C-alpha cells in the first residue's frame, strides 16, 4: 500500500496481519493484549518458535515402541528355547 500512497488505518493493518497467521499462532495471539503491529509480530514469532520447539521434541517414552520392543524380545526368547520345552513334555517309550 506504500507504493500506491494509500494510508491505511492501523487497525486495518493489524487485522489483515492477524487473519493471515497460521491458525495455531492466531489462536494464541488473539488472546493477548497488543497496541502496535510490532507487538503482534513479536508475539507471533515467539509463539511460532514455541510450536516448532514442541514439535521437534521427541517423547522419552512411547507406549508403542516399548510394547513392540517387548514383543520382539519375547519372540527372540521363544526362538532360543528348544522345541521340546515349547511343545510340552515329550513322552518316550523306553
Amino acid at each position: 500500500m506504500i507504493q500506491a500512497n494509500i494510508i491505511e488505518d492501523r487497525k486495518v493493518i493489524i487485522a489483515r496481519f492477524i487473519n493471515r497467521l497460521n491458525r495455531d499462532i492466531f489462536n494464541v495471539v488473539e488472546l493477548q493484549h497488543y497496541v502496535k503491529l510490532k507487538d503482534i509480530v513479536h508475539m507471533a514469532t515467539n509463539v511460532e518458535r514455541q510450536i516448532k520447539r514442541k514439535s521437534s521434541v521427541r517423547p522419552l517414552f512411547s507406549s508403542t515402541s516399548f510394547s513392540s520392543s517387548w514383543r520382539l524380545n519375547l519372540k527372540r526368547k521363544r526362538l532360543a528355547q528348544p522345541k521340546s520345552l515349547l511343545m510340552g513334555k515329550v513322552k518316550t517309550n523306553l
Side-chain angles (χ1 to χ4, degrees), residues 44-58:
T45 53
N46 286 341
V47 172
E48 184 180 21
R49 266 191 236 123
Q50 186 179 30
I51 290 172
K52 284 184 180 179
R53 209 175 324 131
K54 284 182 180 179
S55 67
S56 68
V57 174
R58 214 175 60 181

Side-chain angles (χ1 to χ4, degrees), residues 21-36:
L21 287 174
N22 179 323
R23 283 292 139 202
D24 295 331
I25 298 171
F26 172 81
N27 290 336
V28 176
V29 170
E30 77 171 339
L31 299 174
Q32 305 299 320
H33 175 73
Y34 52 85
V35 178
K36 299 177 183 176

Side-chain angles (χ1 to χ4, degrees), residues 10-26:
R10 178 181 53 155
K11 292 180 182 178
V12 174
I13 296 170
I14 290 172
R16 189 179 325 113
F17 178 79
I18 288 177
N19 286 327
R20 292 187 179 187
L21 287 174
N22 179 323
R23 283 292 139 202
D24 295 331
I25 298 171
F26 172 81

Side-chain angles (χ1 to χ4, degrees), residues 26-92:
F26 172 81
N27 290 336
V28 176
V29 170
E30 77 171 339
L31 299 174
Q32 305 299 320
H33 175 73
Y34 52 85
V35 178
K36 299 177 183 176
L37 181 63
K38 182 179 176 182
D39 298 335
I40 298 171
V41 172
H42 183 69
M43 277 189 280
T45 53
N46 286 341
V47 172
E48 184 180 21
R49 266 191 236 123
Q50 186 179 30
I51 290 172
K52 284 184 180 179
R53 209 175 324 131
K54 284 182 180 179
S55 67
S56 68
V57 174
R58 214 175 60 181
L60 295 175
F61 175 74
S62 172
S63 61
T64 56
S65 68
F66 176 75
S67 65
S68 64
S69 65
W70 179 79
R71 288 182 188 140
L72 256 176
N73 288 337
L74 185 62
K75 285 181 183 178
R76 287 181 189 149
K77 286 180 183 177
R78 284 185 184 164
L79 290 175
Q81 291 178 349
K83 285 190 177 184
S84 62
L85 292 177
L86 292 176
M87 303 264 186
K89 293 183 179 179
V90 178
K91 293 183 180 180
T92 55

